[in-house]
Amino acid sequence: MVVAGQDPVLVGDNHETVLAFSAMSYNIGHRSVYSLQIHLVLVTKYRRRVITAPMLQRLEDIFRATCQKWRCSLVEFEGEADHVHLLVSFPPDVQVSKLVNNLKTVSSRLIRKEFATEVARFYSKPVFWTGTYFVASCGGVTVEELKKYVEQQATPRL
């Protein structure tokens, strides 16, 4: 959305160029200018309180790396013992359902491998996340309001 009377400013490095106006910024793709963000919530299977602080840190690293492979960015991340919140910015050619399924698959596999003892106390089968997820576009609230909400989520204790 271009606001009348405002001149855009190009900001960025070699990896990503952003078109910025006074209150909004847009990514510039090959054939598009866009600003797409989703709020994603993933819940552990049976809502078991399996996520520890070290596991939460590792999940953030996994999600950040996976997003980068999909040409997306993890804007904000926080979680509790039984669920995590992600704020993800993505290009228009990325299918959200495929991105989410890949985030769940990769994170589940690596967490079950790297924290096998902790996870085995809660699950006897190779599971970590529920089969479902919550996703919403960020158009209803500002990204700043959503970031504040995600930041206010409690962090599990050690």
Side-chain angles (χ1 to χ4, degrees):
M1 177 166 115
V2 177
V3 180
Q6 293 182 338
D7 294 325
V9 177
L10 286 177
V11 180
D13 55 19
N14 293 340
H15 300 295
E16 182 178 287
T17 304
V18 177
L19 186 62
F21 295 92
S22 67
M24 302 182 94
S25 63
Y26 297 90
N27 297 304
I28 300 174
H30 178 63
R31 294 182 178 205
S32 59
V33 177
Y34 60 91
S35 177
L36 299 170
Q37 292 90 24
I38 56 168
H39 174 206
L40 173 64
V41 180
L42 303 178
V43 179
T44 58
K45 188 81 168 177
Y46 311 119
R47 201 143 185 135
R48 300 271 167 81
R49 301 180 64 78
V50 64
I51 301 172
T52 61
M55 208 179 287
L56 190 65
Q57 180 57 53
R58 182 63 180 125
L59 281 167
E60 181 175 6
D61 296 341
I62 293 167
F63 290 138
R64 205 168 288 288
T66 305
C67 282
Q68 189 174 19
K69 289 177 184 175
W70 280 77
R71 297 175 296 113
C72 303
S73 63
L74 184 62
V75 177
E76 193 65 48
F77 174 82
E78 196 57 67
E80 296 184 25
D82 61 355
H83 69 281
V84 295
H85 292 262
L86 294 84
L87 182 59
V88 179
S89 177
F90 64 99
D93 60 331
V94 169
Q95 293 179 6
V96 173
S97 61
K98 289 184 178 182
L99 170 64
V100 171
N101 286 332
N102 190 251
L103 288 167
K104 289 174 64 178
T105 300
V106 170
S107 61
S108 176
R109 180 175 41 82
L110 291 175
I111 290 296
R112 285 184 287 112
K113 179 181 175 185
E114 296 173 20
F115 296 89
T117 305
E118 294 95 322
V119 174
R121 290 187 3 227
F122 294 89
Y123 306 115
S124 59
K125 295 183 179 179
V127 297
F128 191 76
W129 302 115
T130 62
T132 61
Y133 58 88
F134 169 83
V135 66
S137 65
C138 296
V141 297
T142 66
V143 174
E144 289 74 25
E145 290 171 331
L146 192 53
K147 282 171 82 172
K148 286 178 188 175
Y149 170 75
V150 172
E151 287 171 356
Q152 291 173 356
Q153 298 301 304
T155 302
R157 297 185 189 133
L158 291 174

